C-alpha cells in the first residue's frame, strides 16, 4: 500500500534544499572575497601597478635639477614673458594648440609659434627643452596637470609643449602660486652632466612640422 503524497511536506523539503544551496553559494563567495582581501592587504596581489607608475616624479622620465644661484640656493620661477614657447598639437583635435596657445598668452607666456606635431597620436603632453632653458621649462610645466619634461640636445631657449591626449586644462594662476616663490626640484632629479653622459635625444627628431 503506497503512502499518501504529502504536498506540504514535499514543498518544505524543496525550500530547505534551495535555502541550503543559496547559503552554500554565499558562503563560498564570502570565503573567496576574504581570501582575496587578505592577499591584497598583504601586498601578495598588487591591484594598482598603473597608478604607481603615474605618481612617479616626472612620470618616471629622467629630468634635470633646476639651475641654482651661485650660492646653491633655489632660484625664483622664470618670468612667464621671458619663456619663448612653441605650442604643438599632437592630437586629432583640430584647434587644440591654438586654444592652449591663447590661454598661455593670457598667462603672459611668449608664445612664438602654434603648429602641428608630426604625430597626432601623442598620449601624454610633453615639454621639450634644452640645457639653456631648464628653469623656463620648469615654469611652463607648473601650468600643466599632465605634462612630462624631456631635455633634448637643443642649445637655444625655445621650449616646446606637445599636447597629448591626456591634456585637459591648464592650472589656474592661484594653483601655480601654491608652489612658492622658488623652483622645487623633481624628486630624484639628475645633474645636466649625468643626463648628457647618458645621452640626450636629438631635438631634430621632434621638431619637424607637418
Amino acid at each position: 500500500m503506497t503512502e499518501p503524497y504529502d504536498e506540504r511536506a514535499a514543498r518544505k523539503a524543496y525550500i530547505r534544499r534551495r535555502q541550503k544551496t543559496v547559503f552554500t553559494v554565499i558562503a563560498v563567495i564570502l570565503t573567496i572575497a576574504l581570501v582575496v582581501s587578505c592577499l591584497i592587504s598583504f601586498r601578495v596581489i598588487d591591484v594598482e601597478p598603473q597608478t604607481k607608475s603615474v605618481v612617479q616624479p616626472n612620470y618616471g622620465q629622467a629630468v634635470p635639477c633646476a639651475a641654482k644661484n651661485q650660492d646653491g640656493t633655489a632660484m625664483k620661477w622664470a618670468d612667464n614673458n621671458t619663456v619663448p614657447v612653441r605650442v604643438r598639437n599632437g592630437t586629432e583635435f583640430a584647434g587644440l594648440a591654438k586654444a592652449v596657445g591663447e590661454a598661455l598668452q593670457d598667462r603672459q607666456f611668449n608664445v612664438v609659434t602654434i603648429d602641428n606635431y608630426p604625430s597626432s597620436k601623442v598620449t601624454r603632453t610633453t615639454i621639450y627643452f634644452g640645457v639653456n632653458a631648464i628653469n623656463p621649462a620648469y615654469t611652463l610645466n607648473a601650468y600643466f596637470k599632465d605634462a612630462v619634461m624631456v631635455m633634448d640636445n637643443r642649445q637655444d631657449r625655445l621650449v616646446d609643449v606637445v599636447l597629448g591626449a591626456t591634456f585637459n586644462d591648464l592650472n589656474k594662476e592661484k594653483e601655480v602660486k601654491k608652489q612658492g616663490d622658488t623652483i622645487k626640484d623633481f624628486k630624484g632629479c639628475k645633474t645636466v652632466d649625468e643626463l648628457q653622459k647618458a645621452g640626450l635625444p636629438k631635438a631634430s627628431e621632434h621638431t619637424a612640422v607637418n
Side-chain angles (χ1 to χ4, degrees):
M1 181 177 179
T2 59
E3 295 182 1
Y5 176 71
D6 190 338
E7 184 180 350
R8 183 177 302 174
R11 188 183 302 113
K12 288 181 179 179
Y14 169 74
I15 291 174
R16 282 197 296 271
R17 286 196 302 272
R18 187 172 63 179
Q19 289 175 336
K20 183 178 179 180
T21 300
V22 171
F23 290 150
T24 300
V25 171
I26 292 175
V28 170
I29 292 174
L30 290 176
T31 301
I32 293 173
L34 179 61
V35 171
V36 172
S37 177
C38 289
L39 291 174
I40 292 174
S41 242
F42 290 103
R43 303 291 182 181
V44 177
I45 296 177
D46 190 353
V47 296
E48 299 179 334
Q50 293 183 345
T51 301
K52 289 182 178 178
S53 65
V54 166
V55 298
Q56 292 180 21
N58 202 42
Y59 298 94
Q61 171 75 38
V63 63
C65 300
K68 303 294 190 294
N69 291 310
Q70 289 186 344
D71 60 0
T73 58
M75 296 182 71
K76 291 187 176 182
W77 296 96
D79 291 335
N80 292 2
N81 58 13
T82 67
V83 182
V85 181
R86 174 167 53 177
V87 183
R88 319 201 69 184
N89 189 358
T91 75
E92 298 176 348
F93 300 102
L96 181 60
K98 184 175 185 297
V100 174
E102 291 175 350
L104 288 173
Q105 286 176 327
D106 289 341
R107 290 162 173 77
Q108 307 306 311
F109 280 96
N110 178 20
V111 177
V112 296
T113 307
I114 295 174
D115 61 24
N116 292 320
Y117 190 63
S119 171
S120 62
K121 299 187 181 300
V122 175
T123 300
R124 183 165 300 284
T125 298
T126 306
I127 294 174
Y128 294 102
F129 58 98
V131 65
N132 293 310
I134 295 175
N135 286 10
Y138 265 87
T139 299
L140 179 63
N141 182 66
Y143 287 83
F144 286 83
K145 304 175 187 296
D146 68 315
V148 57
M149 293 174 62
V150 176
M151 188 170 84
D152 57 29
N153 67 352
R154 71 182 67 190
Q155 296 299 311
D156 58 23
R157 285 177 49 82
L158 179 66
V159 180
D160 283 332
V161 55
V162 179
L163 303 173
T166 57
F167 177 79
N168 183 24
D169 197 5
L170 294 174
N171 288 324
K172 294 181 172 59
E173 197 71 32
K174 62 181 181 181
E175 293 174 318
V176 175
K177 289 180 179 178
K178 288 180 182 178
Q179 301 189 37
D181 294 331
T182 56
I183 299 176
K184 293 180 176 59
D185 290 328
F186 279 95
K187 183 179 179 180
C189 67
K190 298 180 180 298
T191 66
V192 170
D193 286 343
E194 287 177 317
L195 291 176
Q196 289 177 333
K197 287 179 181 179
L200 296 173
K202 294 180 179 179
S204 59
E205 293 176 354
H206 50 257
T207 54
V209 182
N210 284 345

